[in-house]
Amino acid sequence: MRLSNKMIAEMIGTFWLVFAGCGTALFGNVGFLGAALAFGLTVLTMAYAIGHVSGAHLNPAVSLGVFVNGRMTAREMLGYWVSQFVGASLAAAILYTIGSSIEGWQPGVFAANGYGANFANAAGENYMCASAVGAFITEAVLTFIFLLVILGATDSRAHNKFAGIAIGLCLALIHLISIPLTNTSVNPARSFSQCLFSSVDGWSAWGDLWLFIVAPMVGAALAGLAYNAYSPKTSE
């Protein structure tokens, strides 16, 4: 499969993840459980829609973990990153356009990620929000586990016809754990896209964005190394 085909698939898939996942959080009125299920379902559906084309990474951290694990080249990874950020940003722009058409609608945090008291105040009373250290640990650990599930479920030695189900359910569980703490990122493209349109007095999504790029990338890279350590491929 040509890289250009894979990039188009990744752009579409990441668009869907942000449009449906963040769109549910913005407009769905379904609470944390509904938002968690929405994100899980976006990955599950795209796993079967584009998984055979690009692997359905939908996330720069996933692509980094796959690269570290030795399953893709640096050129492919960079191409995926471009497509993922473009797809996520396009979805955010359309969500903002839809929201702006609703009388009296305000973007607020716009499903952005954050940490600390200022973000908790901006996000709402159901958010407890971890400190920077707690948020970093949360995002890194959850991305680490997410990548281990992805790498294991898609391993050629695994029963990977059901990989999409395992990965989607894992992402839903991740959101159930961490929405109240960080609004759940584990995905730098998803975090970046929401910063574009977030607007809150007293808190800036851009100021917190670094954590939601670095922590998922650290967790993903460590998972790529760890998977090779405990599940090495043999010549048999």
Side-chain angles (χ1 to χ4, degrees):
M1 191 72 66
R2 295 171 58 185
L3 179 56
S4 59
N5 296 98
K6 296 178 181 180
M7 289 176 64
I8 292 170
E10 283 297 305
M11 182 176 68
I12 294 170
T14 311
F15 173 92
W16 178 236
L17 182 143
V18 172
F19 186 81
C22 293
T24 298
L26 287 169
F27 307 127
N29 194 27
V30 292
F32 290 165
L33 176 60
L37 289 174
F39 275 100
L41 288 171
T42 63
V43 170
L44 191 156
T45 52
M46 279 297 131
Y48 294 102
I50 65 169
H52 61 290
V53 179
S54 68
H57 294 186
L58 322 182
N59 181 339
V62 171
S63 297
L64 176 62
V66 171
F67 166 72
V68 171
N69 188 246
R71 300 189 194 180
M72 72 186 309
T73 67
R75 178 173 174 269
E76 288 176 319
M77 180 182 69
L78 293 174
Y80 275 40
W81 284 0
V82 171
S83 296
Q84 290 155 358
F85 276 98
V86 169
S89 299
L90 180 59
I94 294 176
L95 288 174
Y96 182 80
T97 301
I98 293 170
S100 298
S101 72
I102 301 170
E103 184 176 355
W105 181 80
Q106 296 294 327
V109 300
F110 199 69
N113 303 109
Y115 55 86
N118 288 338
F119 178 68
N121 291 334
E125 62 182 10
N126 292 325
Y127 288 80
M128 55 190 73
C129 294
S131 67
V133 172
F136 193 99
I137 293 170
T138 298
E139 290 289 328
V141 169
L142 291 177
T143 309
F144 178 86
I145 297 299
F146 189 39
L147 262 294
L148 292 186
V149 172
I150 291 170
L151 293 171
T154 59
D155 195 307
S156 60
R157 298 165 291 178
H159 301 291
N160 50 28
K161 289 185 178 180
F162 300 102
I165 297 173
I167 295 166
L169 289 176
C170 181
L171 187 61
L173 178 56
I174 283 171
H175 278 75
L176 287 175
I177 297 167
S178 59
I179 290 177
L181 299 173
T182 64
N183 221 15
T184 310
S185 171
V186 301
N187 186 334
R190 168 258 190 275
S191 295
F192 172 82
S193 71
Q194 302 307 291
C195 285
L196 295 172
F197 301 99
S198 175
S199 178
V200 179
D201 291 335
W203 173 78
S204 169
W206 292 106
D208 290 355
L209 178 61
W210 70 270
L211 188 147
F212 300 101
I213 293 177
V214 177
M217 291 299 205
V218 169
L222 291 175
L225 295 172
Y227 191 82
N228 275 342
Y230 74 74
S231 185
K233 289 190 176 183
T234 67
S235 58
E236 297 180 1

